[in-house]
Amino acid sequence: MQRPGRKWFFGIIGVALGYIILTGLSVHFGPKSHVATRVENMEWVATGRSWVDRSLCRWFELCGTHHMIFRSGWTWQKAAYGIPPMLPDFKPFWDSGEEDPEKWSQEEKTLREIPDYVFDYAPYVHLFSGELFWPSDLGEHLAHTTPRLNYTVIGGTEHDRNLRNLQELNDIEKGEHSRFVYLQSDDNVEENPSWLTSDHNIPSAPSPRYDVDPDASWPHEDDRERPEQPAEQTVITDQSFKIPDFRTSELTPSTNGRCGGNSGFTCKGSKGGQCCSIHGWCGKSDVYCDTYCDPLHGNCNDLLHPPPATPKPDLRRRGLEDYKPPSRQHTFGKSNAPAILVVVDKGNGTIDAFWFFFYSFNQGQKVFNIRFGNHVGDWEHTLVRFHHGKPESVFFSEHDFGDAYAWHAVEKYLPNPDGSDTMLGTFSNDTIEAVAKRPVVYSAFGSHAMYATPGLHPYVLPWGLLHDQTDRGPLWDPALNVKSFVYDYQNHTVRASTFNPHAPTGWFDYAGHWGDKYYPLSDPRQYRFAGQYHYVNGPTGPKFKRLGREEVCQGRGICHIRHWLGGQKAKRLRPVDGGEEGGLPGGNTTDDAPQ
């Protein structure tokens, strides 16, 4: 008799195979797609190198199976002959606009102004602690790509594109207003060139400080109980989740229980427990190791195999009822890659602040160890909607067309009054809710999809086979390095704001793709199963993310605004008083005509 575990295993495999077969049959007997799409698909299948591969692809949607098995063809060493051509200096790109602010009328200046409250309520972004592809600069991305019409290089544009004139590609003959124009990477992306991983843009960490007495007695009373010897923790062991060394090189094991922020201490090797909570204390229970865990200063639970639930002590700090935020500015969290802020006035007192985040590469997710949905170029965004100057709701560009929340429901951060550069959050501390302003966003590992909570986020497939993962990794403060613009959605015009009057706008009007066209079947890096590609098209830019939307949601239809943070244990928070195309796994959600 088979063991239950084996039955489950073979059951899941059977469902997966059935799904693949049914999907393949639906390609031939289901509703027909657009004629141009079918023609392009036939041309793509025809690039297969063997009759067997082409036949399996046409009838069973098993395309490029040998590419998946024999991965040695994914990378290759290019022979260098002579001196490579000089790349343009991308840094001046952001000051290359041709506008002269001295000639602006008062009316023109007013159109370009961004209200201060937009920055007061700017989001913080937690990048995943084991991220491999970090925030990127548009200029640097452009310097390492070449415009192509489908797969053909557009002559005369190899080293002549910049952020000021990129929109000229919209007029390329047969490009159909850049529908078939792609910014093709000059390098083999499987070799992970530095501009693609962008680890030089990881947000800056707090400077370690050691003014906490390591021999001080362990904090207790209202903060926590004196710990026993730490129990063995279940931690993430996937080597791809390794925390960058720059975060831990100067940290020493905590002897008094303090950790996180700029304390200079880690809980790894500490007698108080191996996990560091976001409140800056070491511990071993799930309240330290799960939702509130800081993965940069200690171990965290493996979310795929969580330990048994334990009682949760109250970690909230007391005496903050009359706390006023400090006036000093925190410098940690700044990235060399600028965030893009696009402000849209919808009239009747409604202002939408779109915070866009660009990455040079999106790593797709794995299903049964098969990865789908890789693509060069990745645009994600969070939208904060204001009504008469007060935040009303927040939209997160997660999978399945994103999620919208009422303002009072989302977690917000406030710098710790003890000056330790740790953050206090409303998700776990009601006493600071009235003064905390800036919402917290979590960027998923690889896909960079944006969520309102840390943890696992299943989507599309049953049993959580396909999921995003977020945690409280490096904190990115996009307000410290931002390029801001004002968009008139009725006339489809964009203006650089008064904060950066010399910023170019041609890149914004570019209607093509910010990455490679999905590779042909003949490319050793490409395969397709059940209609899902290993590499998909790069996305279009912010102008095509429904900036003129009436509802806060990005998708069409009814917009459901949630008043609580989800999960198996959905938690409703009390209100404050007064207050990338086709849906492919790992791909983009919605690309639309500008509006």
Side-chain angles (χ1 to χ4, degrees), residues 47-273:
T47 66
R49 296 181 180 275
S50 69
W51 174 85
V52 173
D53 194 23
R54 294 192 296 270
S55 299
L56 288 174
C57 186
R58 289 191 182 101
W59 291 102
F60 299 102
E61 276 298 300
L62 301 175
C63 310
T65 53
H66 60 291
H67 294 167
M68 184 192 67
I69 298 172
F70 301 103
R71 300 187 181 186
S72 59
W74 288 13
T75 59
W76 55 88
Q77 297 297 323
K78 297 180 180 178
Y81 296 100
I83 301 175
M86 293 292 293
L87 291 173
D89 186 356
F90 65 90
K91 293 182 179 178
F93 280 4
W94 284 115
D95 295 318
S96 63
E98 298 176 334
E99 293 279 357
D100 185 358
E102 299 297 328
K103 296 181 180 180
W104 291 347
S105 65
Q106 186 57 46
E107 180 182 4
E108 181 67 20
K109 292 180 181 178
T110 301
L111 290 174
R112 296 172 181 266
E113 290 178 349
I114 294 178
D116 290 339
Y117 59 76
V118 169
F119 295 97
D120 291 340
Y121 295 94
Y124 287 112
V125 180
H126 268 299
L127 301 169
F128 190 69
S129 59
E131 183 58 69
L132 301 177
F133 301 96
W134 302 91
S136 304
D137 187 302
L138 295 183
E140 184 175 15
H141 183 85
L142 194 58
H144 292 277
T145 59
T146 298
R148 298 196 180 203
L149 182 61
N150 288 320
Y151 299 108
T152 304
V153 173
I154 300 174
T157 64
E158 293 90 333
H159 300 293
D160 190 36
R161 296 301 93 193
N162 55 54
L163 297 178
R164 184 184 69 253
N165 62 14
L166 193 62
Q167 82 286 357
E168 294 176 4
L169 294 173
N170 297 342
D171 300 324
I172 295 295
E173 185 179 359
K174 297 182 180 180
E176 291 195 20
H177 198 67
S178 284
R179 177 185 177 186
F180 302 126
V181 176
Y182 297 82
L183 298 180
Q184 180 88 19
S185 55
D186 295 332
D187 300 289
N188 176 16
V189 297
E190 286 291 337
E191 295 175 344
N192 293 334
S194 60
W195 65 271
L196 202 73
T197 57
S198 298
D199 54 3
H200 50 284
N201 293 327
I202 299 175
S204 58
S207 299
R209 72 175 195 178
Y210 301 91
D211 57 353
V212 178
D213 182 3
D215 297 323
S217 60
W218 195 274
H220 54 286
E221 297 178 357
D222 287 341
D223 293 323
R224 55 163 292 125
E225 297 178 355
R226 183 181 296 272
E228 300 175 357
Q229 290 298 317
E232 183 177 353
Q233 297 293 326
T234 304
V235 299
I236 296 174
T237 57
D238 191 326
Q239 292 301 311
S240 65
F241 294 165
K242 183 179 180 181
I243 299 172
D245 290 339
F246 84 101
R247 284 282 179 171
T248 58
S249 59
E250 298 184 12
L251 300 181
T252 58
S254 175
T255 58
N256 72 337
R258 289 306 305 269
C259 63
N262 61 1
S263 66
F265 297 120
T266 176
C267 293
K268 295 180 179 179
S270 169
K271 66 178 182 180

Side-chain angles (χ1 to χ4, degrees), residues 30 32 79 84 108 128 135 172 208 273 284 311 339 367 382 389 426 431 449 486 530 534 543 552 575 582 594:
K32 297 301 181 181
E108 181 67 20
F128 190 69
I172 295 295
K284 59 183 180 180
V367 180
T382 289
T426 58
T431 62
V486 177
H534 185 209
K543 190 175 182 178
V552 71

